[in-house]
Amino acid sequence: MHPAPTTAPGGVPVPPATARPPAAPVARPASKPALPASKHFVRSGWASVSGWQADAVESAWTTFQDNCRSIMLRTGRPVSLAAPQTVDPYAWQQVCAAARDPSLRNPSPAQARAFLEKWLEPWTVRTPTGEAATGLATAYYEPLVRASRVRGGPYQWPLYAVPNDLLVLDMGSLYPELAGKRVRGKLDGKRVVPYDSRAELERAGREPAAIVWVSDPVDAFFLQVQGTGRASLDDGPGRGSVIRVAYAEHNGHPYVSIGRWLVDQGELTLDQASMQSIKAWAKAHPTRVKEMLNANPAVVFFREEPVVNPEEGPKGAFGMPLTAQRSIAVDPAIVPLGAPAFLSTTMPNSKVPLQKMVFAQDTGSAIKGPARADVFWGYGEEAGEQAGRMKQPSKMWVLWPKGEGAPAPAR
């Protein structure tokens, strides 16, 4: 059986990777001409793309085709002012139709590279003053936590479902210039006030329903930082199974680093503020754990999802499962979601080149600015160790269909 289709932001269905729906190209309406220029990009050439020839682009072909199907399904759909900007689907019709050629089902390295060079051209991401932007590449991953459906014993740290009284106000529906901006709060009489902080949610009668209770407070905290993860149910109903807890909402408060808090308290030095050191501090100071956690008022709320395919990552903001080291989070105000790109950076805490074709399929509150990328590193402890060390300078080229003007969002 094929896995059930998922849904992208705005209600657009995204087919599973095994689906092959008809995809005839759709002509661009005269009312939506291609953009001839952009303040964010400048047309470049393949010779300028650092590392292009070294990447095994054929290994990204399945992701490229899946990404294409998601783009094409958006053709003609209304553009949501509340959702992050996605690519102009009309620009991709001819390319994505050509990519479905049966002879390209399993392309050789030469075939995949020739196709991409024939149909696409690189656009350098630039700064507001026109220079090629040097950004920052970080990484994130999907962690695994030990958990229980019921609270008890070591399972004392909740991952909350979305509270019933949380209000999410779409500011773009009131003020178009604020498209994509949302405010979280709750009602106090007839007034909308900020939603509860982490500490306030611990008060009697305010705690939302928990999907699971986690055995380690630092594991629970860092799963919230990553935005999604898997929970191995060690006790209670469903014991022995693994579920995914995926980002659903947050309480609207700004994120504060607990590592920075420990440094400011004189408990750790800046060089020591790693996940491992924070865990060790928490075990040595159990009575101060809540004080540490409550230094960060932000709370992420989750929804439960089954783990249908253990090899697939969680769905990103583009509505597709993320692919390890091929999916990135970007600033959609600059790079529209769904755009393939080429990222030139280095391996975590290293000068070893990391240069590969990637896909803008996710967003993050800290991912802002040109050439800024957050690389999805994959699942598990090893991925987490690598992701935690990733903080490297980066350059980026958006790969856009030839003859379709500058990279642009749907409009």
Side-chain angles (χ1 to χ4, degrees), residues 288-305:
R288 296 191 66 192
V289 168
K290 283 194 174 182
E291 179 189 2
M292 174 186 71
L293 297 180
N294 288 341
N296 174 42
V299 177
V300 169
F301 304 118
F302 298 94
R303 64 176 181 274
E304 180 180 338
E305 295 180 351

Side-chain angles (χ1 to χ4, degrees), residues 320-375:
M320 294 182 59
L322 303 177
T323 303
Q325 296 187 46
R326 291 289 184 183
S327 296
I328 62 172
V330 297
D331 182 349
I334 297 173
V335 179
L337 291 180
F342 197 86
L343 180 68
S344 180
T345 182
T346 55
M347 292 290 287
N349 197 25
S350 166
K351 293 185 178 180
V352 176
L354 176 64
Q355 298 168 319
K356 56 174 52 186
M357 185 167 74
V358 293
F359 299 85
Q361 295 177 332
D362 208 359
T363 62
S365 59
I367 314 305
K368 302 297 180 186
R372 180 72 173 93
D374 203 23
V375 182

Side-chain angles (χ1 to χ4, degrees), residues 190-379:
K190 293 184 178 181
R191 297 171 57 244
V192 176
V193 298
Y195 202 74
D196 299 52
S197 67
R198 182 181 296 270
E200 290 167 340
L201 285 174
E202 294 177 357
R203 296 179 308 191
R206 287 302 302 158
E207 215 170 30
I211 297 175
V212 293
W213 298 86
V214 179
S215 61
D216 185 285
V218 180
D219 283 347
F221 180 89
F222 277 102
L223 190 147
Q224 291 196 41
V225 173
Q226 300 304 314
T228 189
R230 302 184 196 186
S232 176
L233 301 180
D234 296 340
D235 200 4
R239 180 177 180 177
S241 62
V242 176
I243 63 169
R244 175 172 281 134
V245 281
Y247 173 91
E249 264 301 339
H250 66 86
N251 66 343
H253 287 261
Y255 169 78
V256 174
S257 165
I258 59 173
R260 168 59 68 180
W261 181 83
L262 288 169
V263 171
D264 291 343
Q265 295 290 309
E267 299 291 335
L268 298 176
T269 66
L270 193 58
D271 291 342
Q272 294 173 328
S274 66
M275 184 190 303
Q276 291 75 18
S277 296
I278 294 171
K279 280 188 174 185
W281 186 91
K283 288 181 179 178
H285 303 83
T287 60
R288 296 191 66 192
V289 168
K290 283 194 174 182
E291 179 189 2
M292 174 186 71
L293 297 180
N294 288 341
N296 174 42
V299 177
V300 169
F301 304 118
F302 298 94
R303 64 176 181 274
E304 180 180 338
E305 295 180 351
V307 180
V308 178
N309 181 353
E311 300 302 315
E312 287 186 341
K315 291 191 292 292
F318 194 53
M320 294 182 59
L322 303 177
T323 303
Q325 296 187 46
R326 291 289 184 183
S327 296
I328 62 172
V330 297
D331 182 349
I334 297 173
V335 179
L337 291 180
F342 197 86
L343 180 68
S344 180
T345 182
T346 55
M347 292 290 287
N349 197 25
S350 166
K351 293 185 178 180
V352 176
L354 176 64
Q355 298 168 319
K356 56 174 52 186
M357 185 167 74
V358 293
F359 299 85
Q361 295 177 332
D362 208 359
T363 62
S365 59
I367 314 305
K368 302 297 180 186
R372 180 72 173 93
D374 203 23
V375 182
F376 176 67
W377 211 264
Y379 161 70

Side-chain angles (χ1 to χ4, degrees), residues 53-70:
Q53 294 296 329
D55 184 29
V57 292
E58 73 281 359
S59 67
W61 188 252
T62 297
T63 304
F64 181 82
Q65 289 187 312
D66 292 344
N67 196 73
C68 257
R69 279 189 286 276
S70 185

